[in-house]
């Protein structure tokens, strides 16, 4: 006997463990619980059969009672017990040969009951199946390339994929699967990513920022204002009698979610209309004939008397917040990147922040506001057109009764009601500036 440090033995290149007993394996009970019940029960039944062949007792050695005669290790050899077990399984309706029983015994000795499991149920399954990786890569490239193209059929995707494989590997080197298998592969790759949607939806998904998304944090009114234009889902009657859908341009304060100013024009908003929004934001809005007295600023919770002494223009003004923006987020439209609009912002000390081209989520607040206007206001107006032609009724343009000025007046009054309700929810302190109070 000799004593030595374990670290020295491990560091010695000539050290080797000889005739060491095997390390007993731990039964994978957690893996068994994850299997389907039928597969698990089948493996446990095979365990009882294998134990009976090896020891004579289904529950293993030490069980009560004598073993059955055909499985008694004292009188029957192992080969005879395997033959008896195979015959018993065949008589019970389970096809099994002597070779099968012997194979199951070897698996049980090697890995325990986990070796008796039908491993077809444990194979990892993917939505792509056993598709050729080269076909999958080529199809992905074709789908990504077609984001900005018009929508096509699955047959067109198959043709383009076949052409790409021929360019990369040669004609006929990588065969395509059958049409049914190819169509399933296309849906497996494209359904979760919207690559088979309409061209508009595909462009919208492509414009989304990469996750994780960072929310826009604004602390004060006017810190960040978003401006955008959209065509309303309603027809109006213009001065010359032409029926047309008007275009609405708004300026939305992100901190208070207040529409600071809006301009409703016939389709084709100009840069001067966008510049007019800046003037509306910093000047009190006068009350219009027909508006209820509750919309007047003198009936709001802001310190009207003190503000009137500061600016006489507040007399007879509507209760719309006056917010001077610091930064304005606009898209790449010609109206907002024009020299006249940029010059108007520079004269007021406002910085302009253009959003990336075609990136709706970069100005998601104003996009959702447009959706709310179409849902909560425009659909209650005569000649509502719905969001697209598939939802419109017959002869919608014939229902138009509102003029552009009348619809603008209704829209302004509705905006003032919302702004006044938000302002009345919280009282402004005496030294507060003339602005909306955040909810």
């Amino acid at each position: 006997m000799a004593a030595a440090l374990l670290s020295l033995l491990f560091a010695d290149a000539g050290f080797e463990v000889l005739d060491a007993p095997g390390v007993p394996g731990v039964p994978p009970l957690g893996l068994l619980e994850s299997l389907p019940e039928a597969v698990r029960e089948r493996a446990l039944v095979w365990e009882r059969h294998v134990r009976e062949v090896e020891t004579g007792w289904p529950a293993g050695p030490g069980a009560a009672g004598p073993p059955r005669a055909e499985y008694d290790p004292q009188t029957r050899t192992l080969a005879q017990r395997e033959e008896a077990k195979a015959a018993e399984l065949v008589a019970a309706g389970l096809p099994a040969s002597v070779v099968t029983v012997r194979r199951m015994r070897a698996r049980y000795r090697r890995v325990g009951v986990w070796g008796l499991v039908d491993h077809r149920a444990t194979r990892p399954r993917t939505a792509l199946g056993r598709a050729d990786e080269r076909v999958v890569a080529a199809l992905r490239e074709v789908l990504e390339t077609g984001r900005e193209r018009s929508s096509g059929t699955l047959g067109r995707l198959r043709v383009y994929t076949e052409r790409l494989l021929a360019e990369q590997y040669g004609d006929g080197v990588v065969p395509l699967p059958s049409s049914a298998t190819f169509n399933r592969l296309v849906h497996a790759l494209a359904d979760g990513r919207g690559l088979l949607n309409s061209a508009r939806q595909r462009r919208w998904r492509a414009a989304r920022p990469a996750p994780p998304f960072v929310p826009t944090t604004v602390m004060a009114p006017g810190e960040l204002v978003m401006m955008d234009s959209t065509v309303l889902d309603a027809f109006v009657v213009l001065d010359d009698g032409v029926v047309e859908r008007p275009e609405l341009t708004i300026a939305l304060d992100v901190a208070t979610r207040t529409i600071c100013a809006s301009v409703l024009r016939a389709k084709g908003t100009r840069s001067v209309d966008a510049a007019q929004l800046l003037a509306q934001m910093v000047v009190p809005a006068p009350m219009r004939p027909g508006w209820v007295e509750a919309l007047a600023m003198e009936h709001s919770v802001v310190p009207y008397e003190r503000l009137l002494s500061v600016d006489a223009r507040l007399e007879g003004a509507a209760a719309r917040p006056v917010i001077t923006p610091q930064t304005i987020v606009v898209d790449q439209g010609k109206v907002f990147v024009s020299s006249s609009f940029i010059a108007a912002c520079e004269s007021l000390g406002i910085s302009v922040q253009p959003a990336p081209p075609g990136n709706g989520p970069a100005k998601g607040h104003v996009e959702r506001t447009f959706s709310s206007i179409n849902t909560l206001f425009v659909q209650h107006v005569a000649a509502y057109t719905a969001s697209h032609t598939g939802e419109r009724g017959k002869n919608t343009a014939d229902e138009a009764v509102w003029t552009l000025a009348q619809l603008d007046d209704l829209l302004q009054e509705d905006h003032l009601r919302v702004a006044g309700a938000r302002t009345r929810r919280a009282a402004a302190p005496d030294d507060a500036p003339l602005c909306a109070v955040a909810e």
Side-chain angles (χ1 to χ4, degrees), residues 92-149:
L94 180 64
S97 62
V98 176
V99 176
T100 303
V101 175
R102 189 172 298 124
R103 185 174 62 251
M104 289 296 190
R105 285 184 52 248
R107 291 180 180 178
Y108 187 72
R109 282 181 173 272
R110 187 168 61 253
V111 292
V113 68
W114 184 251
L116 305 178
V117 173
D118 185 357
H119 287 281
R120 289 177 296 181
T122 64
R123 294 173 184 170
R125 298 180 181 271
T126 63
L128 304 180
R130 292 177 290 179
D132 193 330
E133 294 182 358
R134 296 171 294 182
V135 176
V136 173
L139 181 56
R140 276 202 179 102
E141 184 175 346
V142 171
L143 289 172
E144 291 293 340
T145 307
R147 279 186 182 271
E148 299 296 329
R149 301 191 58 184

Side-chain angles (χ1 to χ4, degrees), residues 15-23:
F15 174 73
E16 186 179 357
V17 179
L18 302 176
D19 300 331
V23 179

Side-chain angles (χ1 to χ4, degrees), residues 324-346:
T324 302
Q326 300 177 8
T327 302
I328 292 182
V329 177
V330 296
D331 55 17
Q332 298 288 336
K334 295 181 180 180
V335 174
F336 300 111
V337 297
S338 61
S339 58
S340 59
F341 180 76
I342 299 298
C345 292
E346 291 178 352

Side-chain angles (χ1 to χ4, degrees), residues 105-356:
R105 285 184 52 248
R107 291 180 180 178
Y108 187 72
R109 282 181 173 272
R110 187 168 61 253
V111 292
V113 68
W114 184 251
L116 305 178
V117 173
D118 185 357
H119 287 281
R120 289 177 296 181
T122 64
R123 294 173 184 170
R125 298 180 181 271
T126 63
L128 304 180
R130 292 177 290 179
D132 193 330
E133 294 182 358
R134 296 171 294 182
V135 176
V136 173
L139 181 56
R140 276 202 179 102
E141 184 175 346
V142 171
L143 289 172
E144 291 293 340
T145 307
R147 279 186 182 271
E148 299 296 329
R149 301 191 58 184
S150 59
S151 302
T153 62
L154 296 178
R156 188 183 76 173
L157 291 177
R158 183 180 180 87
V159 172
Y160 288 172
T161 305
E162 189 174 12
R163 290 178 183 176
L164 183 59
L165 290 173
E167 293 176 1
Q168 294 177 345
Y169 304 101
D171 293 335
V173 176
V174 182
L176 285 178
S178 63
S179 298
T181 304
F182 180 82
N183 294 343
R184 287 195 298 269
L185 183 61
V186 171
H187 285 288
L189 290 173
D191 284 350
R193 303 165 62 188
L195 296 177
L196 293 181
N197 295 338
S198 63
R200 179 182 178 183
Q201 292 172 326
R202 283 186 272 119
R203 286 194 295 267
W204 181 82
R205 282 180 171 269
R208 296 178 64 187
F213 305 113
V214 180
T216 302
T217 303
V218 182
M219 303 302 296
E223 184 178 347
L224 187 64
V225 175
M226 295 184 177
M227 298 179 63
D228 198 7
S229 300
T230 189
V231 179
L232 290 183
D233 295 337
F235 284 111
V236 295
V237 181
L238 302 181
D239 296 338
D240 54 359
V242 177
V243 177
E244 191 178 44
R245 293 174 61 185
E247 189 170 2
L248 175 66
T249 305
I250 66 172
L252 177 73
D253 179 59
V254 177
T256 62
R257 299 297 195 274
T258 300
I259 298 178
C260 306
S262 64
V263 173
L264 189 65
R265 294 287 185 268
K267 189 180 296 184
T269 303
R270 296 171 297 178
S271 58
V272 65
D273 298 325
Q276 183 180 349
L277 291 178
L278 302 177
Q280 290 187 18
M281 280 189 284
V282 298
V283 176
M287 289 286 292
R288 296 186 183 182
W291 287 2
V292 295
E293 292 297 326
L295 299 180
M297 180 168 287
E298 58 182 328
H299 297 292
S300 66
V301 297
V302 299
Y304 176 72
E305 298 296 337
R306 184 181 66 84
L307 295 174
L308 184 60
S309 63
V310 175
D311 192 343
R313 292 177 299 176
L314 293 175
E315 184 176 2
R320 189 195 68 187
V322 178
I323 298 177
T324 302
Q326 300 177 8
T327 302
I328 292 182
V329 177
V330 296
D331 55 17
Q332 298 288 336
K334 295 181 180 180
V335 174
F336 300 111
V337 297
S338 61
S339 58
S340 59
F341 180 76
I342 299 298
C345 292
E346 291 178 352
S347 64
L348 296 174
I350 303 172
S351 61
V352 180
Q353 178 181 328

